[in-house]
Amino acid sequence: MKVLLILNREPYDGTDVTWNALRLAWKLLEKGNEVRIFLMNDAVDLARNETVKPENYDQDLVAILKDLIAK
């Protein structure tokens, strides 16, 4: 199955929306699916090296995206 995830929220906005999308992408990849992630609007910050994880976040969403891209 081919899946396209479209993210449009800023990465660290106080919600789990981006984190959940990236977790979904991992699970789909683990199941052998083809996953594409399209970043638009504020979500583009997820692909910028300048974007850093705030201290109050457990997950580094930028690093997770880079790992997904490498896979």
Side-chain angles (χ1 to χ4, degrees):
M1 173 172 52
K2 295 181 181 182
V3 177
L4 171 64
L5 297 174
I6 301 172
L7 305 180
N8 68 348
R9 297 177 73 144
E10 62 182 280
Y12 301 105
D13 65 353
T15 70
D16 288 339
V17 173
T18 302
W19 162 234
N20 286 332
L22 296 175
R23 288 185 350 175
L24 175 61
W26 270 114
K27 288 299 177 185
L28 289 167
L29 279 175
E30 287 175 358
K31 298 285 184 182
N33 297 289
E34 179 181 324
V35 178
R36 293 178 182 242
I37 299 173
F38 183 81
L39 304 175
M40 61 185 283
N41 299 332
D42 290 337
V44 172
D45 289 340
L46 196 58
R48 292 189 174 129
N49 289 330
E50 296 83 25
T51 303
V52 295
K53 177 184 83 65
E55 289 184 25
N56 62 329
Y57 271 77
D58 295 333
Q59 303 298 327
D60 185 340
L61 303 179
V62 174
I64 293 170
L65 178 66
K66 287 180 181 181
D67 289 345
L68 281 166
I69 291 169
K71 229 177 186 317

